[in-house]
Amino acid sequence: MMPGCVPWPPEDARRYRDEGLWCGETLGDMLRRSAREHGDRTAVVATTRLEHGSGEHGSGEHGGPRLVRCSYRELDERADRLAAGLRASGVRPGDRVLVQLPNSPELIELCFALFRTGAAPVLALPPHRHDEITHLAAHTGAVAYVVPDRHQGFDHRKLARRVRGAVPGLRQVIVCGEPEAFTALSGLYAPARDDVPGPRPEDVALFLLSGGTTGRSKLIPRTHDDYLCNLRLSAANARLDPGAVYLAALPIAHNYALGCPGVLGTLYAGGTVVLPATPSPDDAFPLIESERVTLTGLVPSLARLWTEAAAWSGHDLSSLRLVQVGGAAVGPDLARAVGERLGRVQQSFGMAEGLLSQSPPDDPPDLLATTQGRPLSTADEVRVVDEEGRDVPAGQTGELLVRGPYTIRGYYRAEEHNAAAFTPDGFFRSGDLARITPTGHLVICGRVKDVINRGGDKVPADEVEEHLLAHPLVRAAAVVAVPDPYLGERTCACIVPVTGPAGAADLGDPADPAHTADPAARAPSQRAIAEFMRERGVAAYKVPDRVEVVPSLPLTPVGKIDKARLRAGLARPGARHDGGEPA
Ligand code: AMP
């Protein structure tokens, strides 16, 4: 394995191989096999290719969008040609390549090209900005950064110039679309070569980003063996076959839409992947109808929107056989509504670190609505423990710990963090609270990690707090979740403004008529904080949705910020804050 990664102990690796969970194939081989078996079948359908630009969306025969289709044979060939071009441009086996592309045929081709080169894509999310991207590029020692020219009004080349200036090891920027001074992705496709050895199944295939426990995103190295195990188990549980048509509504750069079973699981099964321009019903529903989409994966907020839109849209959604909902807490009412209005629901609880728990295909309606399915493999070792790390009695709630054939044993280059995030015998501490029912189903009951799950987007509280504390008018800050009817949770920043002599210099002259003694009046507004964070290059989804000015932050008896008390105070109707201690 690559230096900086934690391998599975040899005896576990042997067992996973003996049991056929790791089957010695690489992701590049998988596509080769699918291309052999399903050559002329359609692998990918998309509204456009990125290199054609968003202006290319034309009308098709029936007034719908003109679609781009790619067969398995074409996808296989294009991946080979791009792999050849990447090698010629200096990308070597074992390199890391930072990839920040929206859902597109190019993203899929690029992933397979990198899988075949033996270089690992580091999958950044489209909303990430300078702060996240610089960290990812520097931490992984990425040799290249792949971006679209513009996406949703944002010029990624500008960002790339800044990142390149800040990360000396980043040798090249590859642009999908108009490259300006950089390298065009479309210019990299070269004659394929079959005399180059590929990676081994136990090598790292890709890096996913952690939803975050503490600090910046940790890097999750997934091997060919383990990720193929992940997507095969998920594809089997969803009963995928060559007739499967998967609509990728969520970003493919995220584990859920990539491999649970997602895009890769569908291509493994010989099915078709459909890429709408956006996940909105306006873009997705016509494609569900025209492509006879059979399954998709949604986060709860999107599932709610779709169930409402299904009532009035007039589009035929009857081909939907399975609708996964997960990534954030799914209430029973929503699960039932999805089942009634969209298609059979499958609850999905998972994490980029590994463990996947999904509803089995034969679950009765009650279990479908009230549980988050069952771990996909009997080789998933799941424990539920109390605060001292002792197993709780059967059926009780505690922190979920997991070890298994597709759950990592350590983050990349994170020795210190790994010592806390994993038990000495290799169990991953998920930070989620769960209980296990007598039927072996998981019920997720909350979490102990300090992360806000904003409709599936994970916002690590301490990362945002660090940015807030850098603001000259903020003396202390705590970020907590507040309930939200649409996203499930939103972020609220409780800030203590700078006051008194220490802050006087920052706050202007007290003799100035505009000066006020009220700290709240001088605290930065939500808008000012949003602007401040934008300037610091932070992804927009991490900007606090709400800002409350408090005189002080309540503390627990051991002197930590008492976030439970803050949350309770914020939830009280009409409460602005929990009062804390007087300033
Ligand atoms: P990620 O690695 O970004 O997929 O985030 C994984 C985390 O998302 C889990 O550890 C949970 O905290 C949360 N999560 C995922 N699925 C669910 C679900 N169905 N219900 C509640 N939380 C979930």
Side-chain angles (χ1 to χ4, degrees):
M1 236 191 178
M2 190 181 282
C5 296
V6 184
W8 279 263
E11 60 280 11
D12 288 348
R14 202 171 313 116
R15 183 159 51 91
Y16 298 149
R17 283 197 191 96
D18 290 348
E19 291 176 7
L21 291 158
W22 290 1
C23 52
E25 197 180 41
T26 65
L27 288 157
D29 297 340
M30 174 202 102
L31 177 64
R32 186 84 76 226
R33 190 172 38 73
S34 287
R36 255 198 322 269
E37 291 169 14
H38 312 285
D40 293 328
R41 293 180 67 97
T42 303
V44 181
V45 180
T47 324
T48 186
R49 287 184 65 87
L50 284 179
E51 62 195 341
H52 295 159
S54 47
E56 277 276 309
H57 292 249
S59 288
E61 285 164 53
H62 308 294
R66 191 189 300 138
L67 299 172
V68 179
R69 291 172 194 278
C70 173
S71 71
Y72 272 92
R73 186 167 300 118
E74 284 163 338
L75 177 59
D76 187 46
E77 283 170 11
R78 291 185 70 84
D80 271 345
R81 289 172 48 219
L82 187 52
L86 287 165
R87 275 189 224 106
S89 82
V91 175
R92 299 274 166 264
D95 281 349
R96 276 79 58 203
V97 172
L98 184 54
V99 176
Q100 191 186 23
L101 292 180
N103 289 2
S104 54
E106 287 93 333
L107 174 56
I108 298 174
E109 288 166 17
L110 178 63
C111 283
F112 279 107
L114 290 167
F115 297 155
R116 286 185 175 163
T117 311
V122 177
L123 295 174
L125 298 174
H128 285 154
R129 292 294 177 259
H130 180 257
D131 187 66
E132 290 94 2
I133 296 293
T134 308
H135 160 70
L136 294 173
H139 189 72
T140 58
V143 298
Y145 174 34
V146 189
V147 291
D149 49 10
R150 298 183 72 86
H151 179 59
Q152 294 186 339
F154 181 78
D155 190 340
H156 281 264
R157 294 160 301 196
K158 231 166 136 185
L159 170 60
R161 276 195 290 278
R162 231 181 125 187
V163 174
R164 197 161 179 201
V167 184
L170 193 64
R171 291 201 302 262
Q172 60 174 330
V173 172
I174 300 169
V175 181
C176 210
E178 177 50 52
E180 294 185 345
F182 298 123
T183 306
L185 184 84
S186 58
L188 281 180
Y189 292 79
R193 292 178 49 178
D194 54 13
D195 56 344
V196 194
R200 296 165 308 171
E202 63 269 32
D203 289 339
V204 173
L206 69 154
F207 285 93
L208 298 171
L209 311 190
S210 80
T213 41
T214 53
R216 295 260 157 70
S217 260
K218 304 289 176 291
L219 273 299
I220 300 171
R222 304 293 302 255
T223 64
H224 293 272
D225 265 334
D226 103 71
Y227 210 56
L228 262 156
C229 174
N230 188 109
L231 56 96
R232 271 199 335 265
L233 288 166
S234 186
N237 188 51
R239 304 257 157 103
L240 297 198
D241 61 20
V245 183
Y246 175 80
L247 182 120
L250 301 173
I252 300 173
H254 190 274
N255 181 45
Y256 184 20
L258 183 69
C260 304
V263 167
L264 296 182
T266 303
L267 296 176
Y268 164 81
T272 300
V273 170
V274 177
L275 305 176
T278 76
S280 84
D282 286 350
D283 288 322
F285 286 8
L287 283 174
I288 293 176
E289 179 174 326
S290 66
E291 301 304 310
R292 306 300 295 156
V293 168
T294 61
L295 82 152
T296 189
L298 307 174
V299 287
S301 48
L302 193 55
R304 198 164 297 118
L305 180 69
W306 279 32
T307 50
E308 284 162 16
W312 50 256
S313 88
H315 282 287
D316 176 7
L317 308 180
S318 61
S319 57
L320 277 175
R321 196 178 54 70
L322 194 70
V323 178
Q324 300 180 291
V325 188
V330 183
D333 291 348
L334 177 63
R336 288 194 187 97
V338 168
E340 281 159 21
R341 297 194 214 152
L342 293 175
R344 185 180 167 84
V345 69
Q346 181 194 66
Q347 292 226 20
S348 177
F349 162 79
M351 55 198 75
E353 287 83 356
L355 177 72
L356 267 185
S357 177
Q358 297 184 320
S359 311
D362 48 2
D363 255 1
D366 190 42
L367 285 177
L368 282 180
T370 57
T371 77
Q372 280 63 61
R374 279 207 307 245
L376 289 184
S377 170
T378 49
D380 287 319
E381 301 171 73
V382 170
R383 292 174 58 198
V384 179
V385 302
D386 64 17
E387 281 169 15
E388 271 74 53
R390 290 173 306 223
D391 292 277
V392 300
Q396 287 194 11
T397 300
E399 186 184 1
L400 184 71
L401 266 49
V402 60
R403 187 168 77 170
Y406 59 98
T407 298
I408 56 160
R409 295 297 174 104
Y411 293 105
Y412 180 59
R413 288 184 171 168
E415 224 172 293
E416 203 180 312
H417 184 73
N418 285 341
F422 294 81
T423 64
D425 58 351
F427 277 85
F428 172 59
R429 301 182 205 273
S430 72
D432 292 305
L433 288 171
R435 65 183 168 82
I436 303 178
T437 69
T439 52
H441 287 70
L442 291 187
V443 178
I444 305 302
C445 318
R447 58 185 172 270
V448 288
K449 56 190 170 191
D450 201 3
V451 171
I452 293 100
N453 193 333
R454 192 178 178 275
D457 285 330
K458 316 300 182 315
V459 183
D462 64 349
E463 189 184 326
V464 180
E465 287 159 6
E466 203 185 301
H467 288 294
L468 295 173
L469 287 172
H471 193 288
L473 295 183
V474 174
R475 183 157 61 87
V479 175
V480 294
V482 285
D484 181 81
Y486 178 65
L487 289 175
E489 295 175 5
R490 278 185 194 268
T491 47
C492 177
C494 298
I495 58 170
V496 182
V498 172
T499 51
D506 297 322
L507 296 170
D509 179 2
D512 182 335
H515 182 90
T516 161
D518 174 8
R522 287 174 288 149
S525 64
Q526 198 273 345
R527 224 162 125 190
I529 283 180
E531 181 57 21
F532 178 72
M533 287 183 64
R534 199 186 60 76
E535 274 168 16
R536 287 174 68 82
V538 185
Y541 70 86
K542 294 181 187 166
V543 170
D545 297 300
R546 176 174 159 191
V547 171
E548 290 290 341
V549 179
V550 295
S552 66
L553 296 171
L555 299 179
T556 64
V558 293
K560 285 188 178 175
I561 294 173
D562 191 345
K563 292 202 168 176
R565 208 169 133 201
L566 272 179
R567 273 191 296 269
L570 289 166
R572 273 202 302 273
R576 280 179 59 78
H577 59 79
D578 87 329
E581 306 306 321

